[in-house]
Amino acid sequence: MRNPNNTNQRLYFESTYQDFPVQTTHGPLIENYLVGLRKVFVKAFTRHQRLFVVRIDLRYSSRFAPPFDIDTNKPLRRFFDLLKSQLDQKEAQRKSQGIKVNHHDMWYAWAREVGPESGIPHYHLTLIFNGDAYRGVGNYSDPQAPGLYRRIHMAWAEAIGIPEDLTTGLVSVVRDGQWFVNRRAEDTV
């Protein structure tokens, strides 16, 4: 929902936004964010015909002191940098083994919300990858299983300074929040 103190945010109630389906079951969306998200998709589709998209939420632990910079977006910036670095390292390792690698080309869009009761921020993210590099997050019922979900856990744990094995519940893949999107050659974005 719109921040009542920010009158520049425009509410959007339709089920599609410029030919993209959007979810409005939890209330209206903020059109300003949809504009930015569409720009990210357009950029991704100019590079790849196939995209893997995943919607995740990131939270802070109530069992640990929050990072000193919790009131900024620096923890999220660290997360993106760490995740990209992990994905790049995986690709370099595979290349050194002589394995053909499709670059992940990670894009993202995000929104930060502050819990009305706790006052603690959390993040809603859309991660977009080259669909020839990723087709799923892997086993997200087991954060220790190898795959993209584990790398997301590892990056968030390091970004907020807690042990990786204590991130259960802090990283969530939204229900029905994974999509493999093909853009046909005749389609335009």
PDB file of all heavy atoms in Angstrom, residues 61-94:
ATOM      1  N   SER A  61      16.529 -10.837  11.008  1.00  0.00           N
ATOM      2  CA  SER A  61      16.293 -11.777  12.099  1.00  0.00           C
ATOM      3  C   SER A  61      15.924 -11.031  13.370  1.00  0.00           C
ATOM      4  O   SER A  61      16.526 -10.006  13.693  1.00  0.00           O
ATOM      5  CB  SER A  61      17.554 -12.614  12.351  1.00  0.00           C
ATOM      6  OG  SER A  61      17.373 -13.434  13.475  1.00  0.00           O
ATOM      7  N   SER A  62      14.959 -11.578  14.103  1.00  0.00           N
ATOM      8  CA  SER A  62      14.611 -10.997  15.405  1.00  0.00           C
ATOM      9  C   SER A  62      15.517 -11.560  16.500  1.00  0.00           C
ATOM     10  O   SER A  62      15.508 -11.082  17.622  1.00  0.00           O
ATOM     11  CB  SER A  62      13.147 -11.277  15.741  1.00  0.00           C
ATOM     12  OG  SER A  62      12.921 -12.671  15.764  1.00  0.00           O
ATOM     13  N   ARG A  63      16.328 -12.582  16.150  1.00  0.00           N
ATOM     14  CA  ARG A  63      17.215 -13.206  17.136  1.00  0.00           C
ATOM     15  C   ARG A  63      18.583 -12.530  17.224  1.00  0.00           C
ATOM     16  O   ARG A  63      19.355 -12.816  18.124  1.00  0.00           O
ATOM     17  CB  ARG A  63      17.424 -14.688  16.811  1.00  0.00           C
ATOM     18  CG  ARG A  63      16.132 -15.486  16.891  1.00  0.00           C
ATOM     19  CD  ARG A  63      16.371 -16.922  16.586  1.00  0.00           C
ATOM     20  NE  ARG A  63      16.657 -17.061  15.155  1.00  0.00           N
ATOM     21  CZ  ARG A  63      16.986 -18.182  14.566  1.00  0.00           C
ATOM     22  NH1 ARG A  63      17.102 -19.276  15.264  1.00  0.00           N
ATOM     23  NH2 ARG A  63      17.206 -18.226  13.275  1.00  0.00           N
ATOM     24  N   PHE A  64      18.881 -11.654  16.271  1.00  0.00           N
ATOM     25  CA  PHE A  64      20.180 -10.995  16.234  1.00  0.00           C
ATOM     26  C   PHE A  64      19.977  -9.492  16.177  1.00  0.00           C
ATOM     27  O   PHE A  64      18.973  -9.007  15.665  1.00  0.00           O
ATOM     28  CB  PHE A  64      20.975 -11.422  14.987  1.00  0.00           C
ATOM     29  CG  PHE A  64      21.408 -12.854  15.018  1.00  0.00           C
ATOM     30  CD1 PHE A  64      20.605 -13.838  14.473  1.00  0.00           C
ATOM     31  CD2 PHE A  64      22.612 -13.212  15.600  1.00  0.00           C
ATOM     32  CE1 PHE A  64      20.991 -15.157  14.502  1.00  0.00           C
ATOM     33  CE2 PHE A  64      23.012 -14.530  15.628  1.00  0.00           C
ATOM     34  CZ  PHE A  64      22.209 -15.508  15.080  1.00  0.00           C
ATOM     35  N   ALA A  65      20.979  -8.779  16.661  1.00  0.00           N
ATOM     36  CA  ALA A  65      20.939  -7.327  16.527  1.00  0.00           C
ATOM     37  C   ALA A  65      20.968  -6.995  15.036  1.00  0.00           C
ATOM     38  O   ALA A  65      21.707  -7.621  14.274  1.00  0.00           O
ATOM     39  CB  ALA A  65      22.134  -6.706  17.234  1.00  0.00           C
ATOM     40  N   PRO A  66      20.168  -6.044  14.619  1.00  0.00           N
ATOM     41  CA  PRO A  66      20.167  -5.687  13.192  1.00  0.00           C
ATOM     42  C   PRO A  66      21.497  -5.039  12.820  1.00  0.00           C
ATOM     43  O   PRO A  66      22.220  -4.532  13.681  1.00  0.00           O
ATOM     44  CB  PRO A  66      19.015  -4.690  13.080  1.00  0.00           C
ATOM     45  CG  PRO A  66      18.832  -4.149  14.445  1.00  0.00           C
ATOM     46  CD  PRO A  66      19.254  -5.226  15.402  1.00  0.00           C
ATOM     47  N   PRO A  67      21.821  -5.043  11.534  1.00  0.00           N
ATOM     48  CA  PRO A  67      23.045  -4.354  11.120  1.00  0.00           C
ATOM     49  C   PRO A  67      22.951  -2.872  11.465  1.00  0.00           C
ATOM     50  O   PRO A  67      21.862  -2.308  11.538  1.00  0.00           O
ATOM     51  CB  PRO A  67      23.106  -4.574   9.613  1.00  0.00           C
ATOM     52  CG  PRO A  67      21.815  -5.162   9.203  1.00  0.00           C
ATOM     53  CD  PRO A  67      21.080  -5.612  10.412  1.00  0.00           C
ATOM     54  N   PHE A  68      24.100  -2.251  11.678  1.00  0.00           N
ATOM     55  CA  PHE A  68      24.121  -0.847  12.082  1.00  0.00           C
ATOM     56  C   PHE A  68      23.470   0.063  11.046  1.00  0.00           C
ATOM     57  O   PHE A  68      22.973   1.135  11.375  1.00  0.00           O
ATOM     58  CB  PHE A  68      25.555  -0.381  12.368  1.00  0.00           C
ATOM     59  CG  PHE A  68      26.400  -0.273  11.130  1.00  0.00           C
ATOM     60  CD1 PHE A  68      26.506   0.934  10.455  1.00  0.00           C
ATOM     61  CD2 PHE A  68      27.071  -1.374  10.625  1.00  0.00           C
ATOM     62  CE1 PHE A  68      27.264   1.041   9.296  1.00  0.00           C
ATOM     63  CE2 PHE A  68      27.838  -1.276   9.468  1.00  0.00           C
ATOM     64  CZ  PHE A  68      27.931  -0.070   8.802  1.00  0.00           C
ATOM     65  N   ASP A  69      23.446  -0.388   9.801  1.00  0.00           N
ATOM     66  CA  ASP A  69      22.902   0.445   8.726  1.00  0.00           C
ATOM     67  C   ASP A  69      21.522  -0.039   8.263  1.00  0.00           C
ATOM     68  O   ASP A  69      21.138   0.158   7.111  1.00  0.00           O
ATOM     69  CB  ASP A  69      23.876   0.525   7.556  1.00  0.00           C
ATOM     70  CG  ASP A  69      24.347  -0.845   7.070  1.00  0.00           C
ATOM     71  OD1 ASP A  69      23.878  -1.875   7.598  1.00  0.00           O
ATOM     72  OD2 ASP A  69      25.189  -0.872   6.158  1.00  0.00           O
ATOM     73  N   ILE A  70      20.752  -0.622   9.180  1.00  0.00           N
ATOM     74  CA  ILE A  70      19.426  -1.162   8.855  1.00  0.00           C
ATOM     75  C   ILE A  70      18.493  -0.082   8.310  1.00  0.00           C
ATOM     76  O   ILE A  70      17.588  -0.374   7.523  1.00  0.00           O
ATOM     77  CB  ILE A  70      18.793  -1.872  10.073  1.00  0.00           C
ATOM     78  CG1 ILE A  70      17.526  -2.628   9.654  1.00  0.00           C
ATOM     79  CG2 ILE A  70      18.497  -0.889  11.184  1.00  0.00           C
ATOM     80  CD1 ILE A  70      16.932  -3.507  10.737  1.00  0.00           C
ATOM     81  N   ASP A  71      18.693   1.160   8.705  1.00  0.00           N
ATOM     82  CA  ASP A  71      17.808   2.236   8.260  1.00  0.00           C
ATOM     83  C   ASP A  71      18.185   2.798   6.893  1.00  0.00           C
ATOM     84  O   ASP A  71      17.615   3.794   6.453  1.00  0.00           O
ATOM     85  CB  ASP A  71      17.781   3.360   9.294  1.00  0.00           C
ATOM     86  CG  ASP A  71      17.110   2.907  10.583  1.00  0.00           C
ATOM     87  OD1 ASP A  71      16.181   2.084  10.506  1.00  0.00           O
ATOM     88  OD2 ASP A  71      17.533   3.366  11.659  1.00  0.00           O
ATOM     89  N   THR A  72      19.139   2.142   6.244  1.00  0.00           N
ATOM     90  CA  THR A  72      19.542   2.537   4.897  1.00  0.00           C
ATOM     91  C   THR A  72      19.283   1.354   3.964  1.00  0.00           C
ATOM     92  O   THR A  72      18.840   0.295   4.402  1.00  0.00           O
ATOM     93  CB  THR A  72      21.038   2.899   4.845  1.00  0.00           C
ATOM     94  OG1 THR A  72      21.805   1.696   4.994  1.00  0.00           O
ATOM     95  CG2 THR A  72      21.411   3.895   5.931  1.00  0.00           C
ATOM     96  N   ASN A  73      19.599   1.523   2.702  1.00  0.00           N
ATOM     97  CA  ASN A  73      19.486   0.413   1.758  1.00  0.00           C
ATOM     98  C   ASN A  73      20.827  -0.287   1.536  1.00  0.00           C
ATOM     99  O   ASN A  73      20.941  -1.126   0.657  1.00  0.00           O
ATOM    100  CB  ASN A  73      18.915   0.916   0.431  1.00  0.00           C
ATOM    101  CG  ASN A  73      17.478   1.370   0.609  1.00  0.00           C
ATOM    102  OD1 ASN A  73      16.695   0.748   1.317  1.00  0.00           O
ATOM    103  ND2 ASN A  73      17.128   2.471  -0.029  1.00  0.00           N
ATOM    104  N   LYS A  74      21.823   0.035   2.348  1.00  0.00           N
ATOM    105  CA  LYS A  74      23.146  -0.571   2.196  1.00  0.00           C
ATOM    106  C   LYS A  74      23.139  -2.089   2.379  1.00  0.00           C
ATOM    107  O   LYS A  74      23.830  -2.789   1.640  1.00  0.00           O
ATOM    108  CB  LYS A  74      24.148   0.091   3.128  1.00  0.00           C
ATOM    109  CG  LYS A  74      24.495   1.502   2.692  1.00  0.00           C
ATOM    110  CD  LYS A  74      25.491   2.145   3.623  1.00  0.00           C
ATOM    111  CE  LYS A  74      25.763   3.576   3.182  1.00  0.00           C
ATOM    112  NZ  LYS A  74      26.657   4.262   4.109  1.00  0.00           N
ATOM    113  N   PRO A  75      22.375  -2.657   3.335  1.00  0.00           N
ATOM    114  CA  PRO A  75      22.355  -4.124   3.415  1.00  0.00           C
ATOM    115  C   PRO A  75      21.843  -4.774   2.132  1.00  0.00           C
ATOM    116  O   PRO A  75      22.365  -5.802   1.695  1.00  0.00           O
ATOM    117  CB  PRO A  75      21.417  -4.410   4.595  1.00  0.00           C
ATOM    118  CG  PRO A  75      21.517  -3.186   5.444  1.00  0.00           C
ATOM    119  CD  PRO A  75      21.660  -2.050   4.456  1.00  0.00           C
ATOM    120  N   LEU A  76      20.865  -4.157   1.495  1.00  0.00           N
ATOM    121  CA  LEU A  76      20.342  -4.705   0.246  1.00  0.00           C
ATOM    122  C   LEU A  76      21.364  -4.561  -0.877  1.00  0.00           C
ATOM    123  O   LEU A  76      21.538  -5.474  -1.686  1.00  0.00           O
ATOM    124  CB  LEU A  76      19.024  -4.031  -0.139  1.00  0.00           C
ATOM    125  CG  LEU A  76      18.272  -4.711  -1.273  1.00  0.00           C
ATOM    126  CD1 LEU A  76      17.892  -6.146  -0.927  1.00  0.00           C
ATOM    127  CD2 LEU A  76      17.047  -3.915  -1.650  1.00  0.00           C
ATOM    128  N   ARG A  77      22.077  -3.458  -0.928  1.00  0.00           N
ATOM    129  CA  ARG A  77      23.147  -3.267  -1.919  1.00  0.00           C
ATOM    130  C   ARG A  77      24.215  -4.350  -1.733  1.00  0.00           C
ATOM    131  O   ARG A  77      24.699  -4.937  -2.697  1.00  0.00           O
ATOM    132  CB  ARG A  77      23.743  -1.866  -1.771  1.00  0.00           C
ATOM    133  CG  ARG A  77      25.039  -1.589  -2.480  1.00  0.00           C
ATOM    134  CD  ARG A  77      25.117  -1.805  -3.962  1.00  0.00           C
ATOM    135  NE  ARG A  77      23.980  -1.429  -4.741  1.00  0.00           N
ATOM    136  CZ  ARG A  77      23.604  -2.052  -5.872  1.00  0.00           C
ATOM    137  NH1 ARG A  77      24.283  -3.073  -6.333  1.00  0.00           N
ATOM    138  NH2 ARG A  77      22.563  -1.660  -6.539  1.00  0.00           N
ATOM    139  N   ARG A  78      24.587  -4.620  -0.459  1.00  0.00           N
ATOM    140  CA  ARG A  78      25.568  -5.687  -0.194  1.00  0.00           C
ATOM    141  C   ARG A  78      25.038  -7.022  -0.686  1.00  0.00           C
ATOM    142  O   ARG A  78      25.763  -7.813  -1.284  1.00  0.00           O
ATOM    143  CB  ARG A  78      25.889  -5.767   1.299  1.00  0.00           C
ATOM    144  CG  ARG A  78      26.764  -4.654   1.802  1.00  0.00           C
ATOM    145  CD  ARG A  78      27.323  -4.924   3.187  1.00  0.00           C
ATOM    146  NE  ARG A  78      26.316  -5.106   4.213  1.00  0.00           N
ATOM    147  CZ  ARG A  78      25.796  -4.137   4.955  1.00  0.00           C
ATOM    148  NH1 ARG A  78      26.178  -2.881   4.776  1.00  0.00           N
ATOM    149  NH2 ARG A  78      24.896  -4.408   5.887  1.00  0.00           N
ATOM    150  N   PHE A  79      23.745  -7.283  -0.436  1.00  0.00           N
ATOM    151  CA  PHE A  79      23.136  -8.533  -0.893  1.00  0.00           C
ATOM    152  C   PHE A  79      23.284  -8.691  -2.400  1.00  0.00           C
ATOM    153  O   PHE A  79      23.729  -9.738  -2.883  1.00  0.00           O
ATOM    154  CB  PHE A  79      21.653  -8.581  -0.493  1.00  0.00           C
ATOM    155  CG  PHE A  79      20.884  -9.648  -1.210  1.00  0.00           C
ATOM    156  CD1 PHE A  79      20.982 -10.972  -0.820  1.00  0.00           C
ATOM    157  CD2 PHE A  79      20.066  -9.326  -2.292  1.00  0.00           C
ATOM    158  CE1 PHE A  79      20.278 -11.966  -1.499  1.00  0.00           C
ATOM    159  CE2 PHE A  79      19.367 -10.309  -2.970  1.00  0.00           C
ATOM    160  CZ  PHE A  79      19.480 -11.629  -2.565  1.00  0.00           C
ATOM    161  N   PHE A  80      22.911  -7.675  -3.165  1.00  0.00           N
ATOM    162  CA  PHE A  80      23.002  -7.770  -4.623  1.00  0.00           C
ATOM    163  C   PHE A  80      24.448  -7.976  -5.074  1.00  0.00           C
ATOM    164  O   PHE A  80      24.720  -8.795  -5.947  1.00  0.00           O
ATOM    165  CB  PHE A  80      22.415  -6.524  -5.295  1.00  0.00           C
ATOM    166  CG  PHE A  80      20.915  -6.434  -5.205  1.00  0.00           C
ATOM    167  CD1 PHE A  80      20.309  -5.278  -4.755  1.00  0.00           C
ATOM    168  CD2 PHE A  80      20.108  -7.493  -5.589  1.00  0.00           C
ATOM    169  CE1 PHE A  80      18.921  -5.184  -4.676  1.00  0.00           C
ATOM    170  CE2 PHE A  80      18.720  -7.410  -5.509  1.00  0.00           C
ATOM    171  CZ  PHE A  80      18.130  -6.252  -5.055  1.00  0.00           C
ATOM    172  N   ASP A  81      25.374  -7.236  -4.481  1.00  0.00           N
ATOM    173  CA  ASP A  81      26.785  -7.383  -4.848  1.00  0.00           C
ATOM    174  C   ASP A  81      27.299  -8.784  -4.524  1.00  0.00           C
ATOM    175  O   ASP A  81      28.020  -9.396  -5.318  1.00  0.00           O
ATOM    176  CB  ASP A  81      27.644  -6.337  -4.133  1.00  0.00           C
ATOM    177  CG  ASP A  81      27.400  -4.915  -4.635  1.00  0.00           C
ATOM    178  OD1 ASP A  81      26.783  -4.749  -5.719  1.00  0.00           O
ATOM    179  OD2 ASP A  81      27.805  -3.968  -3.926  1.00  0.00           O
ATOM    180  N   LEU A  82      26.930  -9.300  -3.354  1.00  0.00           N
ATOM    181  CA  LEU A  82      27.380 -10.639  -2.949  1.00  0.00           C
ATOM    182  C   LEU A  82      26.768 -11.719  -3.830  1.00  0.00           C
ATOM    183  O   LEU A  82      27.461 -12.665  -4.235  1.00  0.00           O
ATOM    184  CB  LEU A  82      27.027 -10.885  -1.477  1.00  0.00           C
ATOM    185  CG  LEU A  82      27.852 -10.085  -0.467  1.00  0.00           C
ATOM    186  CD1 LEU A  82      27.145 -10.037   0.881  1.00  0.00           C
ATOM    187  CD2 LEU A  82      29.239 -10.694  -0.337  1.00  0.00           C
ATOM    188  N   LEU A  83      25.481 -11.609  -4.129  1.00  0.00           N
ATOM    189  CA  LEU A  83      24.832 -12.607  -4.973  1.00  0.00           C
ATOM    190  C   LEU A  83      25.447 -12.605  -6.366  1.00  0.00           C
ATOM    191  O   LEU A  83      25.777 -13.658  -6.916  1.00  0.00           O
ATOM    192  CB  LEU A  83      23.323 -12.366  -5.039  1.00  0.00           C
ATOM    193  CG  LEU A  83      22.528 -13.371  -5.870  1.00  0.00           C
ATOM    194  CD1 LEU A  83      22.721 -14.795  -5.373  1.00  0.00           C
ATOM    195  CD2 LEU A  83      21.042 -13.002  -5.867  1.00  0.00           C
ATOM    196  N   LYS A  84      25.635 -11.423  -6.935  1.00  0.00           N
ATOM    197  CA  LYS A  84      26.251 -11.337  -8.264  1.00  0.00           C
ATOM    198  C   LYS A  84      27.655 -11.946  -8.240  1.00  0.00           C
ATOM    199  O   LYS A  84      28.026 -12.697  -9.149  1.00  0.00           O
ATOM    200  CB  LYS A  84      26.296  -9.895  -8.738  1.00  0.00           C
ATOM    201  CG  LYS A  84      26.860  -9.760 -10.145  1.00  0.00           C
ATOM    202  CD  LYS A  84      26.918  -8.316 -10.596  1.00  0.00           C
ATOM    203  CE  LYS A  84      27.445  -8.159 -11.992  1.00  0.00           C
ATOM    204  NZ  LYS A  84      28.648  -8.886 -12.312  1.00  0.00           N
ATOM    205  N   SER A  85      28.414 -11.654  -7.203  1.00  0.00           N
ATOM    206  CA  SER A  85      29.766 -12.200  -7.085  1.00  0.00           C
ATOM    207  C   SER A  85      29.739 -13.728  -7.019  1.00  0.00           C
ATOM    208  O   SER A  85      30.546 -14.409  -7.665  1.00  0.00           O
ATOM    209  CB  SER A  85      30.456 -11.630  -5.847  1.00  0.00           C
ATOM    210  OG  SER A  85      31.709 -12.224  -5.659  1.00  0.00           O
ATOM    211  N   GLN A  86      28.809 -14.285  -6.247  1.00  0.00           N
ATOM    212  CA  GLN A  86      28.689 -15.748  -6.147  1.00  0.00           C
ATOM    213  C   GLN A  86      28.333 -16.360  -7.498  1.00  0.00           C
ATOM    214  O   GLN A  86      28.900 -17.385  -7.884  1.00  0.00           O
ATOM    215  CB  GLN A  86      27.622 -16.133  -5.131  1.00  0.00           C
ATOM    216  CG  GLN A  86      27.998 -15.890  -3.706  1.00  0.00           C
ATOM    217  CD  GLN A  86      26.874 -16.263  -2.770  1.00  0.00           C
ATOM    218  OE1 GLN A  86      26.012 -17.073  -3.087  1.00  0.00           O
ATOM    219  NE2 GLN A  86      26.870 -15.666  -1.599  1.00  0.00           N
ATOM    220  N   LEU A  87      27.412 -15.743  -8.204  1.00  0.00           N
ATOM    221  CA  LEU A  87      27.013 -16.266  -9.511  1.00  0.00           C
ATOM    222  C   LEU A  87      28.164 -16.173 -10.510  1.00  0.00           C
ATOM    223  O   LEU A  87      28.395 -17.099 -11.296  1.00  0.00           O
ATOM    224  CB  LEU A  87      25.781 -15.515 -10.029  1.00  0.00           C
ATOM    225  CG  LEU A  87      24.518 -15.637  -9.167  1.00  0.00           C
ATOM    226  CD1 LEU A  87      23.414 -14.756  -9.716  1.00  0.00           C
ATOM    227  CD2 LEU A  87      24.064 -17.070  -9.045  1.00  0.00           C
ATOM    228  N   ASP A  88      28.909 -15.061 -10.464  1.00  0.00           N
ATOM    229  CA  ASP A  88      30.071 -14.906 -11.337  1.00  0.00           C
ATOM    230  C   ASP A  88      31.135 -15.960 -11.024  1.00  0.00           C
ATOM    231  O   ASP A  88      31.741 -16.536 -11.939  1.00  0.00           O
ATOM    232  CB  ASP A  88      30.671 -13.504 -11.202  1.00  0.00           C
ATOM    233  CG  ASP A  88      29.794 -12.403 -11.796  1.00  0.00           C
ATOM    234  OD1 ASP A  88      28.869 -12.718 -12.579  1.00  0.00           O
ATOM    235  OD2 ASP A  88      30.053 -11.224 -11.464  1.00  0.00           O
ATOM    236  N   GLN A  89      31.368 -16.212  -9.736  1.00  0.00           N
ATOM    237  CA  GLN A  89      32.363 -17.224  -9.341  1.00  0.00           C
ATOM    238  C   GLN A  89      31.955 -18.610  -9.817  1.00  0.00           C
ATOM    239  O   GLN A  89      32.790 -19.383 -10.288  1.00  0.00           O
ATOM    240  CB  GLN A  89      32.547 -17.225  -7.824  1.00  0.00           C
ATOM    241  CG  GLN A  89      33.313 -16.049  -7.300  1.00  0.00           C
ATOM    242  CD  GLN A  89      33.350 -16.018  -5.783  1.00  0.00           C
ATOM    243  OE1 GLN A  89      32.950 -16.950  -5.105  1.00  0.00           O
ATOM    244  NE2 GLN A  89      33.840 -14.907  -5.229  1.00  0.00           N
ATOM    245  N   LYS A  90      30.673 -18.929  -9.692  1.00  0.00           N
ATOM    246  CA  LYS A  90      30.194 -20.233 -10.166  1.00  0.00           C
ATOM    247  C   LYS A  90      30.441 -20.373 -11.665  1.00  0.00           C
ATOM    248  O   LYS A  90      30.904 -21.410 -12.135  1.00  0.00           O
ATOM    249  CB  LYS A  90      28.712 -20.396  -9.861  1.00  0.00           C
ATOM    250  CG  LYS A  90      28.122 -21.678 -10.410  1.00  0.00           C
ATOM    251  CD  LYS A  90      26.604 -21.678 -10.344  1.00  0.00           C
ATOM    252  CE  LYS A  90      26.088 -22.852 -11.136  1.00  0.00           C
ATOM    253  NZ  LYS A  90      24.912 -22.534 -11.909  1.00  0.00           N
ATOM    254  N   GLU A  91      30.132 -19.320 -12.406  1.00  0.00           N
ATOM    255  CA  GLU A  91      30.338 -19.364 -13.856  1.00  0.00           C
ATOM    256  C   GLU A  91      31.819 -19.515 -14.199  1.00  0.00           C
ATOM    257  O   GLU A  91      32.180 -20.301 -15.078  1.00  0.00           O
ATOM    258  CB  GLU A  91      29.761 -18.103 -14.508  1.00  0.00           C
ATOM    259  CG  GLU A  91      28.258 -18.081 -14.502  1.00  0.00           C
ATOM    260  CD  GLU A  91      27.669 -16.797 -15.067  1.00  0.00           C
ATOM    261  OE1 GLU A  91      28.444 -15.928 -15.547  1.00  0.00           O
ATOM    262  OE2 GLU A  91      26.437 -16.661 -15.028  1.00  0.00           O
ATOM    263  N   ALA A  92      32.687 -18.773 -13.510  1.00  0.00           N
ATOM    264  CA  ALA A  92      34.127 -18.861 -13.773  1.00  0.00           C
ATOM    265  C   ALA A  92      34.647 -20.266 -13.477  1.00  0.00           C
ATOM    266  O   ALA A  92      35.467 -20.804 -14.230  1.00  0.00           O
ATOM    267  CB  ALA A  92      34.874 -17.824 -12.937  1.00  0.00           C
ATOM    268  N   GLN A  93      34.150 -20.850 -12.395  1.00  0.00           N
ATOM    269  CA  GLN A  93      34.567 -22.207 -12.040  1.00  0.00           C
ATOM    270  C   GLN A  93      34.148 -23.200 -13.124  1.00  0.00           C
ATOM    271  O   GLN A  93      34.938 -24.044 -13.546  1.00  0.00           O
ATOM    272  CB  GLN A  93      33.967 -22.604 -10.691  1.00  0.00           C
ATOM    273  CG  GLN A  93      34.326 -24.006 -10.253  1.00  0.00           C
ATOM    274  CD  GLN A  93      33.611 -24.397  -8.973  1.00  0.00           C
ATOM    275  OE1 GLN A  93      32.512 -23.920  -8.678  1.00  0.00           O
ATOM    276  NE2 GLN A  93      34.243 -25.265  -8.205  1.00  0.00           N
ATOM    277  N   ARG A  94      32.935 -23.079 -13.592  1.00  0.00           N
ATOM    278  CA  ARG A  94      32.453 -23.989 -14.642  1.00  0.00           C
ATOM    279  C   ARG A  94      33.214 -23.793 -15.946  1.00  0.00           C
ATOM    280  O   ARG A  94      33.554 -24.759 -16.627  1.00  0.00           O
ATOM    281  CB  ARG A  94      30.953 -23.810 -14.845  1.00  0.00           C
ATOM    282  CG  ARG A  94      30.156 -24.275 -13.600  1.00  0.00           C
ATOM    283  CD  ARG A  94      28.701 -24.173 -13.847  1.00  0.00           C
ATOM    284  NE  ARG A  94      28.394 -25.046 -14.969  1.00  0.00           N
ATOM    285  CZ  ARG A  94      27.352 -25.835 -15.054  1.00  0.00           C
ATOM    286  NH1 ARG A  94      26.500 -25.875 -14.070  1.00  0.00           N
ATOM    287  NH2 ARG A  94      27.138 -26.578 -16.105  1.00  0.00           N
TER     288      ARG A  94
END
